[in-house]
Amino acid sequence: LDISQDVGVANEGVLAVGCKYVDHEDISGTGAVYLYALPSGDLIRKQISPTPGNVDEFGWDVHLDNGMLLVGSPRDDDLFVGRGAAFLFDVQSGEHLRTYLPYDTDDTVPDEFGRSVFMRDGIVIVGDPYATVPDSEGDSVGEAGQVHVFDRDTGDELARLHAETPYTEQLFGWSVGIDGDTIYAGTWRRFNFNTYFGPDDPRVERYDATTYERKPHEKVLDLPQVDMTLTERHALTQKT
């Protein structure tokens, strides 16, 4: 099994493990989420997408909160090929409660909405890292990424968050989270694959979870040099 990058643990004693390429019946690589009871480890169920398709990557990211399971399926074809979706389920019954989709838009490329998911206090946030977004001049920036904020219960989109300075292949929204009154959105890539441009180019941006306004940057790691390769950066972070 190709296990997802994330597992979610709820206070109710449930463990959710995403396996994004597992087969189901005659559907190849559609993905699934396995729910286990804690501390026994007994299998509760294998949760399948309500609209399974080949290589949907259902279970790429998962989150548990308040008796509900949120699952990202970044290659789901509900809108069109590879556009992505996120699904909400009742943990105990397995009932499909809601589907969240990126109703943007004219964008018909595989943006992989659902690559990251998180929910808390009645809101759902979904990363859309390959989305094309406008920059400050109104020009389109390919694969810059965005984050969608939804009302968990109605499915209404409340906000759409962009990086302060979008750039091509930024993949903003690769990771998302909520802590207190703050939404966090992570970026996968810097300005290019090989060079790190220092602490003034933040990997994570923060937003108010009520107003959705961007918060000031926080320097997470004070690096001693401005230009370094990713290999050098990795070696440094292993020492910190």
Side-chain angles (χ1 to χ4, degrees):
L1 298 181
D2 192 342
I3 294 177
S4 85
Q5 294 179 321
D6 194 26
V7 296
V9 181
N11 293 333
E12 293 83 359
V14 177
L15 173 69
V17 181
C19 296
K20 59 185 180 288
Y21 293 132
V22 71
D23 298 338
H24 177 66
E25 297 178 347
D26 61 345
I27 305 173
S28 175
T30 186
V33 177
Y34 292 84
L35 295 171
Y36 299 92
L38 296 177
S40 68
D42 294 339
L43 178 66
I44 299 172
R45 84 175 52 83
K46 174 185 176 182
Q47 191 77 58
I48 301 298
S49 169
T51 57
N54 291 327
V55 198
D56 276 353
E57 296 185 351
F58 178 85
W60 179 282
D61 199 12
V62 298
H63 189 71
L64 287 161
D65 183 64
N66 198 30
M68 287 174 280
L69 167 69
L70 181 64
V71 182
S73 183
R75 302 292 295 180
D76 184 89
D77 299 339
D78 272 16
L79 286 181
F80 43 81
V81 175
R83 188 63 183 93
F87 301 97
L88 186 69
F89 302 91
D90 181 90
V91 169
Q92 292 304 316
S93 68
E95 178 187 0
H96 171 227
L97 302 175
R98 190 155 288 102
T99 299
Y100 306 94
L101 295 169
Y103 291 115
D104 314 56
T105 133
D106 302 330
D107 190 359
T108 56
V109 299
D111 289 343
E112 302 198 11
F113 171 95
R115 180 70 60 175
S116 57
V117 296
F118 201 92
M119 61 178 167
R120 182 164 294 170
D121 298 330
I123 65 172
V124 163
I125 54 176
V126 183
D128 193 7
Y130 288 91
T132 297
V133 304
D135 63 14
S136 59
E137 304 296 325
D139 296 326
S140 295
V141 183
E143 298 187 357
Q146 59 189 354
V147 172
H148 300 253
V149 184
F150 297 94
D151 183 288
R152 184 195 64 200
D153 299 325
T154 67
D156 294 339
E157 186 176 56
L158 303 175
R160 198 171 298 175
L161 310 179
H162 298 155
E164 182 175 16
T165 307
Y167 51 85
T168 301
E169 296 185 344
Q170 185 177 22
L171 305 190
F172 176 79
W174 189 269
S175 58
V176 295
I178 305 173
D179 183 33
D181 64 351
T182 302
I183 294 173
Y184 293 86
T187 294
W188 177 248
R189 294 174 183 159
R190 304 285 180 163
F191 286 101
N192 61 47
F193 288 107
N194 298 316
T195 306
Y196 173 68
F197 284 86
D200 292 330
D201 173 30
R203 175 177 287 270
V204 177
E205 297 199 31
R206 309 183 308 142
Y207 301 81
D208 187 282
T210 302
T211 66
Y212 311 117
E213 294 180 356
R214 186 178 292 106
K215 292 187 174 186
H217 295 149
E218 284 186 341
K219 188 184 296 186
V220 178
L221 179 63
D222 190 8
L223 296 174
Q225 68 182 78
V226 173
D227 294 322
M228 63 172 62
T229 66
L230 290 178
T231 300
E232 291 168 337
R233 176 172 174 261
H234 176 75
L236 176 65
T237 57
Q238 297 309 299
K239 300 175 182 178
T240 60

